[in-house]
Amino acid sequence: MIPKVKKAIIPAAGYGTRFLPATKAMPKEMLPIIDKPTIQYIVEEAVEAGIEDIIIITGKSKRAIEDHFDRNIELENDLESKGKLEMLESVQHASNLANIYFIRQKQMKGLGDAIYTARTFIGDEPFAVLLGDDIVVHEEGDLPAIQQLIEEYNQTGSSVIGVQTVPEDQTHRYGVIDPISKDGRLYEVANFVEKPALGTAPSNQAIMGRYVLTPQIFDYLAKKKVGAGGEIQLTDAIQMLNQVQDVYAYDFVGKRYDVGEKLGFIKTTIDFALEREFADDIIQYMEGKLRELNKAN
């Protein structure tokens, strides 16, 4: 019988240097998309997929993440006394999402090292990994991205890595798969390559921040192999695992937003704003700005 995926790791220990100086004192993961921090979207995806226990890997100056998912009794009492019940519900929602635990990555040695710090929490179970730089939105009726991978794991009993197609001139920014064959959206993979040099990628199927991994991955993370960027890369450990145990890739359905860089963050904010009650006001404002720009040019 294939063990169920009940646990998830969300790495959130990075410095967020692309957003300095905002992230000097505020965790990048707490930057809001409208009125919700980015990491809450990631946690909600895991919860919707049936994950019961989540461990968030943090670092120094990341205490705000813990506070966000904790109760704030004083604030809740204040909102309740003032009859602000909708706000109260939203505040309580964050602290009631799941069983959330925290552990610190002592040194920034890369994603692989961050995942390795959670090995005791995971134990001998399969687990999900959701990276905080990637928000994935699914259409009504579709499964969340991580649940799609869990469904494939349930069929194969093997690790499954989430991928999507990227332009060839962007492949050097990602881990990329070297596929052997494809069955629907599921790929059998020969090699997983971390950030190949421009023009050398074996495909344009890029790893997109969603993984379901068997616990054997920790055997290879324990080797502490230093890879691209002088860091311990998760992709390198996945490649080693793939030599002894099939690791598949799955082209998941959903719109992926890259909130780990400024332009992607702005695009995400605009798209999410256009789904809210003030969408008409946003459109009117943007049309006005376009007219101003056209007039100026």
Side-chain angles (χ1 to χ4, degrees):
M1 183 176 176
I2 298 173
K4 290 185 177 181
V5 178
K6 299 180 292 185
K7 296 178 179 179
I9 300 173
I10 301 177
Y15 293 120
T17 51
R18 293 177 182 175
F19 289 91
L20 286 170
T23 50
K24 179 182 177 182
M26 175 188 289
K28 172 189 66 176
E29 297 80 11
M30 289 301 295
L31 294 174
I33 305 296
I34 313 300
D35 53 8
K36 187 190 299 183
T38 56
I39 194 167
Q40 185 170 329
Y41 291 97
I42 312 301
V43 169
E44 287 175 345
E45 180 186 334
V47 171
E48 188 178 351
I51 297 294
E52 299 173 4
D53 298 295
I54 298 170
I55 188 164
I56 299 177
I57 313 298
T58 66
K60 293 180 180 179
S61 303
K62 299 279 186 168
R63 183 59 186 269
I65 299 175
E66 297 183 39
D67 290 342
H68 177 71
F69 291 107
D70 197 1
R71 295 285 303 275
N72 186 329
I73 302 300
E74 293 81 4
L75 174 60
E76 292 177 24
N77 288 341
D78 183 67
L79 293 173
E80 186 173 17
S81 68
K82 294 177 179 177
K84 297 180 178 180
L85 300 184
E86 188 173 338
M87 289 184 182
L88 174 63
E89 184 179 355
S90 68
V91 168
Q92 291 176 331
H93 173 71
S95 57
N96 293 326
L97 279 168
N99 300 318
I100 301 179
Y101 309 87
F102 300 89
I103 189 171
R104 282 192 174 186
Q105 184 183 18
K106 300 297 191 295
Q107 292 179 278
M108 301 298 104
K109 294 182 179 180
L111 176 59
D113 180 69
I115 301 302
Y116 188 68
T117 63
R119 63 193 181 281
T120 302
F121 173 81
I122 296 300
D124 192 29
E125 299 180 43
F127 62 99
V129 175
L130 301 90
L131 301 191
D133 283 349
D134 300 288
I135 294 175
V136 183
V137 177
H138 61 280
E139 298 288 342
E140 187 175 351
D142 290 338
L143 297 177
I146 197 63
Q147 189 172 353
Q148 295 174 47
L149 302 191
I150 291 172
E151 294 291 329
E152 295 301 319
Y153 162 80
N154 290 339
Q155 294 297 316
T156 63
S158 297
S159 298
V160 184
I161 313 303
V163 298
Q164 286 194 330
T165 304
V166 299
E168 290 185 6
D169 63 357
Q170 296 294 308
T171 52
H172 65 287
R173 299 178 54 206
Y174 304 94
V176 176
I177 66 168
D178 179 8
I180 298 171
S181 62
K182 184 180 181 183
D183 181 8
R185 289 181 168 271
L186 188 70
Y187 290 90
E188 186 180 357
V189 181
N191 297 292
F192 294 84
V193 184
E194 178 63 19
K195 295 181 179 176
L198 193 61
T200 67
S203 76
N204 61 348
Q205 291 296 314
I207 299 172
M208 287 299 185
R210 297 293 184 272
Y211 311 75
V212 172
L213 299 168
T214 59
Q216 287 74 28
I217 191 68
F218 292 117
D219 296 337
Y220 301 97
L221 290 173
K223 297 179 183 296
K224 304 285 185 177
K225 178 184 176 182
V226 176
E231 297 182 331
I232 299 169
Q233 298 290 349
L234 177 59
T235 304
D236 293 338
I238 291 170
Q239 171 60 15
M240 287 187 279
L241 177 63
N242 192 40
Q243 304 307 306
V244 297
Q245 182 182 103
D246 288 336
V247 178
Y248 295 94
Y250 186 76
D251 182 9
F252 63 83
V253 178
K255 184 170 183 178
R256 176 238 180 197
Y257 291 93
D258 182 357
V259 295
E261 51 89 21
K262 293 176 185 176
L263 181 58
F265 187 88
I266 293 168
K267 289 179 177 179
T268 306
T269 301
I270 292 171
D271 275 14
F272 280 45
L274 292 174
E275 295 294 326
R276 300 290 289 270
E277 67 277 4
F278 39 72
D280 290 342
D281 293 329
I282 297 292
I283 292 170
Q284 186 177 4
Y285 174 76
M286 292 172 66
E287 288 175 343
K289 294 301 292 184
L290 285 173
R291 286 194 294 270
E292 289 179 17
L293 290 171
N294 291 332
K295 190 179 295 184
N297 294 329

